[in-house]
Amino acid sequence: MKKYLKNYPAVILAVLLLGTVVQAEGEPENLYAQSAVLMDADTGRILFEKNGGEQLPMASTTKIMTLLVTLQNADLDGEVTVSSYAASMPDVQLNIREGERYRLRDLCYSLMLESHNDSAVAIAEHVGGSVEGFASMMNQKARDLGCYHTYFITPNGLDASDEQGVHSTTAEDLARIMRCCMQNDEFLTITREPSWSFTNLDGTRNFTVNNKNAFLNMMEGALTGKTGFTNGAGYCYVGALERSGKRLIAVVLACGWPNHKTWKWSDTQKLMNYGIEQFHRETIGEDTITLAPLLIENGQTASVRMKADVESREILMKEGDTFQMDILVPDQLPAPVVEGEMVGTVIYYLNGEIFDLFPVCIEDSSPMIDYEWCLGQVFSRWMPVTIQ
């Protein structure tokens, strides 16, 4: 097996100087949260984690998925009729009443700006037919996003469990969900709105909801986010920020209980500042790679060209990060080979872990030289041409 290896000088220098991996200077320390993650929103790469894969209840941060599923599956101008079950939800409430009708869009603002639990259930029943049906949609979307350690039972994040598990997620999974949410312009519009006023469709009640996401005014470039608290989850937060060409997502779970409401803000700012101060944009990999021809054994030695559809990547890196590229292709292959056939892989490694993969494919076909092929060549070259 041929193995082409490309080491960048920075990699070699880092190995010579350090010898071992050490904790980066300025890395967040003494976080209150039991679980925390900082993610590069552009690539999905985890820049920092503290117990990032630990499954924990997440309270009302659930509602980012509630809104995402709603935006992807329903018309926001739709009419929602409130059920007795939705009206029975505990605080925090909009205090909607059974039988009342609302515009779905208005309930979405209620859901995200003031985190109303009754609005969440009314939305879920409208979009999914029932809370259970909507939870199935949420769980399917989680699987689609690769969130395999997330389980939704409720649309509002109240502590819940059933025979399949506990309403919970991980900091890593919640960051993945937020990354998808950030790609939806309507999600950003709703969650960034300072306040929203509306009436029920009969015009008998008036409401104004105000944005309770204090992080939007805490850091320059704050984009969106959602708070959460239950007795089981503690204080939670997921938020996003864009500054200096960097788009960052921070998640904190189980970040204290009363009277420690501010700890989530302290931890979130530590994580965001770490991303802003310690990381810079750098291009890794290449847009084109020249490969030697691949030998083919087809009764006589021949060769075919190979191609790798590689791309360079612009990512966030910090001092001490290392990049390596491997090209793995065989020494030779038996015929026949056909154009487009995958025969190898280009692998990008970041800090020794696989970051990206690209296929190496055959650019020309090469048939097997056997009796049938030889006979065909004889007939094509030596049989006389009949002219009529």
Side-chain angles (χ1 to χ4, degrees):
M1 175 75 73
K2 294 180 182 177
K3 181 176 181 180
Y4 299 88
L5 176 63
K6 181 167 184 177
N7 289 308
Y8 281 17
V11 179
I12 300 172
L13 180 60
V15 173
L16 291 176
L17 292 177
L18 299 177
T20 57
V21 177
V22 296
Q23 181 172 334
E25 183 180 352
E27 194 165 273
E29 297 179 346
N30 302 319
L31 294 176
Y32 295 111
Q34 291 183 19
S35 176
V37 151
L38 178 68
M39 175 183 281
D40 175 6
D42 290 323
T43 64
R45 178 189 168 211
I46 302 296
L47 305 178
F48 171 85
E49 63 92 18
K50 173 188 175 183
N51 303 321
E54 182 179 355
Q55 199 159 353
L56 295 167
M58 65 291 207
S60 285
T61 60
T62 294
K63 289 167 180 157
I64 68 169
M65 179 64 97
T66 303
L67 181 58
L68 179 64
V69 170
T70 298
L71 294 175
Q72 293 183 341
N73 293 277
D75 179 0
L76 293 189
D77 290 325
E79 178 182 311
V80 179
T81 301
V82 180
S83 71
S84 59
Y85 181 63
S88 73
M89 287 296 104
D91 284 343
V92 178
Q93 287 183 312
L94 180 61
N95 291 311
I96 52 181
R97 301 165 184 165
E98 181 182 0
E100 290 181 331
R101 299 177 303 119
Y102 292 86
R103 191 70 63 206
L104 178 59
R105 183 185 309 276
D106 296 330
L107 293 183
C108 286
Y109 280 96
S110 165
L111 173 81
M112 299 305 293
L113 271 57
E114 294 206 14
S115 200
H116 291 138
N117 293 322
D118 48 358
S119 296
V121 171
I123 290 169
E125 292 177 332
H126 173 76
V127 178
S130 66
V131 167
E132 294 77 16
F134 189 78
S136 294
M137 296 170 70
M138 297 171 78
N139 286 317
Q140 182 58 59
K141 184 62 182 180
R143 288 189 292 271
D144 293 344
L145 295 176
C147 300
Y148 300 117
H149 298 94
T150 293
Y151 181 54
F152 293 107
I153 299 175
T154 74
N156 47 31
L158 294 175
D159 293 331
S161 62
D162 60 19
E163 62 280 359
Q164 297 183 56
V166 175
H167 185 92
S168 57
T169 189
T170 68
E172 291 180 359
D173 278 1
L174 194 56
R176 291 187 186 99
I177 295 169
M178 176 55 88
R179 185 182 179 217
C180 181
C181 292
M182 290 172 64
Q183 299 168 20
N184 190 300
D185 290 339
E186 192 72 45
F187 181 96
L188 295 176
T189 296
I190 291 172
T191 57
R192 292 169 57 85
E193 189 69 38
S195 65
W196 186 258
S197 297
F198 61 96
T199 67
N200 64 339
L201 290 181
D202 291 328
T204 58
R205 300 180 69 195
N206 300 302
F207 302 88
T208 296
V209 290
N210 298 298
N211 200 323
K212 303 299 186 183
N213 181 10
F215 179 70
L216 291 177
N217 299 312
M218 284 183 180
M219 295 191 72
E220 177 189 350
L223 281 178
T224 184
K226 185 69 190 75
T227 57
F229 174 80
T230 64
N231 290 332
Y235 291 110
C236 305
Y237 186 69
V238 53
L241 175 147
E242 182 173 9
R243 191 196 297 180
S244 303
K246 304 166 189 173
R247 299 192 335 135
L248 303 171
I249 297 169
V251 179
V252 292
L253 299 178
C255 195
W257 276 258
N259 295 306
H260 300 295
K261 192 173 184 178
T262 63
W263 283 3
K264 64 181 180 292
W265 303 130
S266 172
D267 279 5
T268 297
Q269 290 178 82
K270 276 186 181 181
L271 291 166
M272 292 299 195
N273 283 327
Y274 171 65
I276 293 167
E277 295 167 3
Q278 299 296 325
F279 287 84
H280 61 277
R281 288 215 165 271
E282 190 167 324
T283 300
I284 63 171
E286 301 182 13
D287 290 320
T288 58
I289 295 176
T290 301
L291 300 174
L294 177 64
L295 295 178
I296 300 297
E297 182 57 49
N298 59 359
Q300 63 183 32
T301 302
S303 64
V304 293
R305 292 177 297 173
M306 296 183 293
K307 63 178 180 178
D309 293 325
V310 295
E311 294 180 8
S312 60
R313 295 282 191 250
E314 190 177 71
I315 66 168
L316 295 180
M317 297 185 73
K318 66 179 185 299
E319 184 178 355
D321 280 347
T322 61
F323 170 73
Q324 176 180 313
M325 180 176 71
D326 284 357
I327 304 174
L328 304 179
V329 295
D331 294 316
Q332 67 178 41
L333 284 176
V337 295
V338 296
E339 181 181 349
E341 180 182 348
M342 180 178 170
V343 293
T345 308
V346 176
I347 307 175
Y348 289 177
Y349 293 94
L350 197 58
N351 297 330
E353 297 184 355
I354 293 176
F355 179 76
D356 215 339
L357 300 169
F358 304 92
V360 176
C361 300
I362 297 296
E363 197 166 359
D364 308 297
S365 296
S366 179
M368 169 67 76
I369 297 180
D370 54 13
Y371 176 78
E372 183 178 348
W373 182 87
C374 292
L375 190 60
Q377 293 296 305
V378 169
F379 273 95
S380 65
R381 296 186 183 186
W382 302 108
M383 288 297 290
V385 177
T386 302
I387 300 177
Q388 296 183 352

